[in-house]
Structure formats: C-alpha cells, structure tokens
Amino acid sequence: MDHSGHGTTMDLPPFTLGRGLEWSADPFFLIACLVGLALYGWGVVRLVRRGDKWPVGRTAAFVGGVLSIMLMMCTQLNDYGMVMFSVHMVQHMVISMVSPILILLGAPITLALRALPTAGRGRKGPRELLLMFLHSRYMRIVTHPAFTIPLFIASLYGLYFTPLFDTLMGSKAGHIAMMVHFLAVGLVFFWPIMGVDPGPHRPGYLMRMLELFAGMPFHAFFGIALMMASEPMVESFRNPPASLGIEALADQNAAGGIAWAFSEIPSVLVLIALLFQWYASEQRQARRKDRAAERDGDKELEAYNAYLASLDARGR
C-alpha cells in the first residue's frame, strides 16, 4: 500500500541518512510550513518598517522550528517512517518535542499581537479575535496541567498500544492527522512551561519545572517498554518490507531507544530556556524596584529640601 503518496513504500532500499534526507514533499505540510514562514516574515517586516525591533533570536528559533517539521515531513524520512518504527519515532519525537519548543521560543502570538492592526471602536478584527481566543475558557482548559500532562502521556500509550495507531497509519489523511496531533500536543504541553507568548495558565517558575518533570518520565518508561518487549508491539511495523533488510524486533528496539533519549534531550533544552527566562524576569523586577526606590528617594530629598527652606525662611 502507498501510505505516503510519494511512490510506493514497498520498494524502498535499505535506509541511510543520505536517502532519508532526499526531497519527498508531503503537500499538506509543505504548504502549511511555507504559509507559516510567510506570515511570520510579514509580521517581522511590518514591525521593522514601523521602527520597532524584533529579536533576531526569536526569528531564528521560529524558522528552525518550521524547518524541523519540513525535514521530518517533506523528505524521504516520511516515506521510511511509514514502514520503519525507528524512523517514525524520530518523526514523532522531533514534531512533538523539538519543533514545538523552537516555535514557542519564536513567540509567534506576541508577534501577531504587535503586527496586526487594531480594529475601530466596536469592531472586531483579527487582533481582537486572537485576544478573545487567548482569554477564552477553552484556552484556560487546554493549557492547564490537569489537561496537558494526561494528554501528553495518552498520546504515547493510548495511541501506540491500541488499534488506533494502525487505523491512522492506514490512510494518508490519518497519518497527517496523527502528525498534526503530535505537534498540537507538544505546543499545548510546552507553552505554559516555557513559552514566551502570553497565555491563560502561567504558574511560577518552580511550578513550571515540576510540570516539565511530571511528563518526561513517561517518555522514558514508554521507550523502555518498547526496548524490553519480546515481540513486535505495533501491527503496522510487524512485517517490514524485505527490501529494507531489517528485522522488526530490532527496529522496535531502536525506536524505544530513540523515545528514551528524547525524554532527556528536550528536558535539558527547556530547563535551560526556563532558567534564562527566570533570570531575565528577576533582573526586570530588580530594575523596577530600583526605579521605584529612586523615585521615592527623590521625593524624600525634595521634602527634606522644602523642610530646610522653611526653617531658613523662619530663621530670617
């Protein structure tokens, strides 16, 4: 069966990195990524023309996030991911953990709020609708840890260890829906933890770290479960094409190792980003306190000078 839509997956030669990186675009993801880059670029250009600044680091992070999606979905990695569990797991981990982190560090919502024009009084334009969406009850629910952490866990165990995964892998639309789901889960999980954009649920930095570490161990357990299994656990990858020259159980073992490794690497990246954000927040608060203290000091000095002047006037 041709799951990928880029030619038959049954005659793929043995996987190498060079072959995996050959261009083989999925139209849906190619168009979505190009539109995302174009909209972000429009926002940056609009700010610069207005005389405002937009950090280069944010632009680089967003572009890197979108390109990481294109790398996974618009190369032969996507073709091999239909028949090799290990390659599919790389796709899953990058799209659900690396891509969301980079996109969130790019602060696309903040850029949109600054770039979109405000509608006239009593009217609702794109900017007003975006603000309404950000402050909606729906957003408060989907960004709350009571929702994001179970969703993050269920996306692993509830998908791979049930027939749902095979059903989705059976069609091109199902495969696209699965990958979009992975990206969405990553975005709503990491947004309250380390996202730069404003959000309805934004706890203190210590609570954010706890949220991060509450979800990550389940990735490690999932990887270990795959590595320790004595038989293939996912029907879609039970009988890999003979042309690949791989054995299903060994490939599953590799997939488990990839899932386990990815529970560590993004955790470190997010922790570093969190610590930098925490430090920057403390510095801003310190500067605000210093300015407030300076204003209070100036008022005290003015009052003292006025008191001295009144004494001088009485003395005369």
Side-chain angles (χ1 to χ4, degrees):
M1 183 189 294
D2 176 14
H3 290 301
S4 67
H6 314 307
T8 178
T9 56
M10 299 304 288
D11 57 2
L12 286 170
F15 176 80
T16 64
L17 188 59
R19 287 196 186 105
L21 296 180
E22 288 176 8
W23 185 252
S24 179
D26 178 290
F28 174 85
F29 280 98
L30 178 62
I31 293 168
C33 288
L34 291 177
V35 168
L37 290 172
L39 289 173
Y40 195 93
W42 171 83
V44 173
V45 168
R46 187 174 168 85
L47 286 189
V48 171
R49 283 182 176 169
R50 204 166 64 196
D52 291 341
K53 290 183 179 178
W54 184 254
V56 176
R58 287 185 182 178
T59 303
F62 184 85
V63 170
V66 174
L67 291 180
S68 69
I69 297 172
M70 291 181 72
L71 180 66
M72 293 298 109
M73 300 307 301
C74 295
T75 64
Q76 286 239 327
L77 286 173
N78 193 34
D79 298 329
Y80 279 100
M82 299 302 298
V83 289
M84 290 180 67
F85 201 175
S86 55
V87 178
H88 168 85
M89 192 56 68
V90 170
Q91 285 182 287
H92 178 171
M93 295 296 117
V94 170
I95 283 180
S96 68
M97 299 180 82
V98 176
S99 305
I101 290 169
L102 290 172
I103 287 170
L104 288 167
L105 288 174
I109 294 173
T110 301
L111 177 64
L113 290 173
R114 288 182 61 184
L116 287 169
T118 54
R121 184 174 292 181
R123 292 162 59 197
K124 287 178 183 173
R127 188 177 186 277
E128 288 70 26
L129 292 173
L130 178 58
L131 280 169
M132 282 176 61
F133 180 65
L134 285 174
H135 293 115
S136 67
R137 189 177 179 185
Y138 169 78
M139 285 305 296
R140 285 199 299 274
I141 292 170
V142 299
T143 58
H144 196 278
F147 179 86
T148 60
I149 294 171
L151 180 68
F152 195 67
I153 297 163
S155 290
L156 287 172
Y157 297 89
L159 187 64
Y160 288 96
F161 298 159
T162 69
L164 179 60
F165 181 83
D166 297 315
T167 302
L168 292 172
M169 287 290 281
S171 71
K172 183 173 171 58
H175 186 240
I176 289 171
M178 188 193 331
M179 291 299 172
V180 171
H181 169 77
F182 290 154
L183 179 63
V185 168
L187 288 169
V188 297
F189 178 75
F190 288 111
W191 182 13
I193 295 173
M194 45 66 66
V196 181
D197 290 320
H201 174 73
R202 194 49 59 90
Y205 285 95
L206 202 56
M207 279 302 296
R208 294 190 209 183
M209 290 181 186
L210 291 174
E211 283 182 35
L212 173 66
F213 291 121
M216 289 301 109
F218 291 95
H219 255 273
F221 297 150
F222 171 74
I224 291 166
L226 290 178
M227 287 160 61
M228 292 183 68
S230 57
E231 62 175 342
M233 299 178 72
V234 179
E235 194 64 36
S236 293
F237 302 115
R238 185 178 286 274
N239 299 301
S243 63
L244 292 174
I246 60 169
E247 196 264 318
L249 197 58
D251 190 46
Q252 179 174 284
N253 192 286
I258 290 162
W260 176 77
F262 266 91
S263 68
E264 307 295 328
I265 299 163
S267 299
V268 173
L269 293 175
V270 172
L271 199 56
I272 292 168
L274 260 180
L275 290 172
F276 270 104
Q277 289 175 10
W278 196 349
Y279 175 75
S281 174
E282 292 293 320
Q283 291 293 100
R284 283 194 299 271
Q285 284 187 4
R287 284 196 294 271
R288 277 198 295 268
K289 286 178 182 175
D290 288 344
R291 284 197 294 269
E294 283 175 15
R295 285 196 298 271
D296 291 342
D298 290 342
K299 287 176 184 173
E300 287 177 9
L301 185 61
E302 286 172 13
Y304 183 63
N305 287 336
Y307 170 70
L308 290 177
S310 67
L311 287 178
D312 185 53
R314 264 184 282 175
R316 281 202 300 272

